[in-house]
Amino acid sequence: MADDPPLTPPDTPAPEDTVAWESRTAQRAGLLTVSAGVLTILGSVVSGLANSGRPRAEDRILTVIDTLERAASGRPVPPGHLAAVTEYVGTHTLPFIIGALLMGLGTLLTFVPLAYLYRATRARTRVPRIGIITAAVGAVAFGIGQTVTFIAYYLGARDFANGSDRTNSAAADALSNSGVTAGQPIAQVGQLALALAFALVGLHAMRAGLLTRFMGFLGMIVGGTLILPLDQFGIIRSFWLVAIGMLILGRLRGGRPPAWERGEAVPWPTQQEVREQREAARRERDGEPAAAGADGDQSDGATRGGQQLPRARAPQPRRPDPAGDRRAAAKRKRKRRS
């Protein structure tokens, strides 16, 4: 209808201008997006390797009898599990800090693919402006807050390892320093904002035809894993970032969706349209005629509820009946005489 709002914002550029801008910036955006995924998974690997040697909890379990026997014999009670882990981290701070820096840098670079997809989507269809705001706030706050929290945690563990008190309470105090207290709320706010950005940008980019349904839904899943502890090592997020980077560079297997080349939205067909296309292809392959109502000249029947009603059959000619005709003529003659 003429009064319906336009599908694109008023400042939408021409399709050729959109394609030209995306071509100019694709190389840099694609490489930074791939780097974000690689840095995220690399930071997880470094942190995982550093954690591989931490003491196990079962090695630090003492029963009441064992504790009493040690006290009676004058032997010291060994530190608890928290103290042992904190001491281990405090004596191996370098790999932990390197892993935190890599993951923080990868999180900061996450803004690049989200901003690129937002810009490309907004050039083709409507998308809430909150998407780019949450992407910027989330990438910066989560990246910096998480890095500050981790580094403060590791430095607190180092101070504990260099101290003389080896109790669990001293370890808890060392790990709850001012840096951890300041970084955690910033990281939590950024985590929520980044999750919302992944969901919004992934959904609208998929609706515009820039992402396949798989990549669009996977982007929304990545947003969900930032809130739910389902991807603590960032494997799903890293895969999505690397795949988006290859898509931007035009090197993804299977090519890019048509919306990238046309510079305008090319929505994916609905399930009903897919079934109709498959049925039409099957009829064409089998040499069957097109279904009634498929084209404008195939059916001139009425419609009800948007569906074509079957065409009414023409009445068949009546078979001649000479005996019946004679009886009808005799009946008409009797009426005239009376």
Side-chain angles (χ1 to χ4, degrees):
M1 297 176 63
D3 296 334
D4 290 341
L7 295 178
T8 56
D11 57 346
T12 300
E16 53 272 16
D17 296 336
T18 299
V19 174
W21 179 86
E22 292 168 357
S23 300
R24 290 195 307 268
T25 58
Q27 186 75 14
R28 180 176 58 182
L31 292 177
L32 290 176
T33 303
V34 173
S35 300
V38 172
L39 289 173
T40 300
I41 193 64
L42 188 59
S44 298
V45 170
V46 172
S47 299
L49 292 176
N51 269 314
S52 60
R54 72 162 51 198
R56 295 178 298 176
E58 55 267 21
D59 296 338
R60 296 289 171 171
I61 296 177
L62 289 179
T63 63
V64 176
I65 297 177
D66 293 335
T67 304
L68 293 176
E69 288 180 352
R70 284 177 175 270
S73 61
R75 291 181 298 169
V77 177
H81 178 64
L82 178 61
V85 171
T86 305
E87 183 178 1
Y88 170 81
V89 174
T91 55
H92 302 81
T93 54
L94 183 59
F96 284 104
I97 292 177
I98 292 176
L101 290 174
L102 291 174
M103 293 185 66
L105 183 57
T107 304
L108 288 173
L109 291 178
T110 302
F111 174 73
V112 175
L114 293 176
Y116 189 88
L117 285 176
Y118 174 86
R119 167 67 170 76
T121 304
R122 186 171 175 81
R124 292 167 172 83
T125 185
R126 287 188 179 275
V127 55
R129 195 175 295 272
I130 191 66
I132 190 65
I133 297 175
T134 54
V137 173
V140 174
F142 187 45
I144 295 178
Q146 182 180 235
T147 304
V148 170
T149 301
F150 284 158
I151 292 179
Y153 180 92
Y154 300 143
L155 293 180
R158 188 184 64 179
D159 294 340
F160 171 81
N162 294 332
S164 58
D165 193 348
R166 291 291 192 273
T167 61
N168 283 343
S169 59
D173 293 338
L175 298 179
S176 301
N177 53 53
S178 59
V180 175
T181 305
Q184 279 184 342
I186 298 176
Q188 290 173 356
V189 171
Q191 194 173 10
L192 293 175
L194 194 60
L196 181 59
F198 269 106
L200 287 175
V201 174
L203 174 63
H204 287 84
M206 177 183 65
R207 288 180 174 177
L210 294 173
L211 298 180
T212 62
R213 285 196 175 93
F214 172 75
M215 293 302 298
F217 282 116
L218 187 61
M220 290 184 280
I221 291 174
V222 170
T225 58
L226 288 172
I227 301 176
L228 302 175
L230 301 177
D231 188 27
Q232 297 180 355
F233 297 103
I235 297 176
I236 302 177
R237 184 165 78 249
S238 300
F239 170 80
W240 190 84
L241 289 171
V242 172
I244 293 298
M246 300 301 291
L247 175 68
I248 295 174
L249 293 172
R251 299 180 182 178
L252 190 65
R253 184 176 182 180
R256 303 201 299 179
W260 289 99
E261 306 300 332
R262 298 185 185 180
E264 56 186 6
V266 184
W268 299 104
T270 63
Q271 295 296 327
Q272 178 65 24
E273 293 172 344
V274 171
R275 288 193 293 267
E276 292 176 355
Q277 292 173 3
R278 290 177 179 174
E279 180 64 18
R282 186 191 66 80
R283 289 178 177 274
E284 182 179 358
R285 184 177 62 253
D286 297 342
E288 298 180 6
D295 298 320
D297 57 349
Q298 292 292 326
S299 175
D300 56 357
T303 60
R304 178 183 299 170
Q307 297 183 354
Q308 187 75 28
L309 297 178
R311 185 189 305 174
R313 294 184 178 182
Q316 297 293 332
R318 186 171 59 88
R319 178 179 299 180
D321 186 4
D325 293 342
R326 289 194 296 269
R327 288 195 297 271
K331 186 177 181 180
R332 288 194 295 270
K333 288 180 180 179
R334 288 195 296 271
K335 287 182 178 181
R336 286 197 297 268
R337 289 174 183 173
S338 60

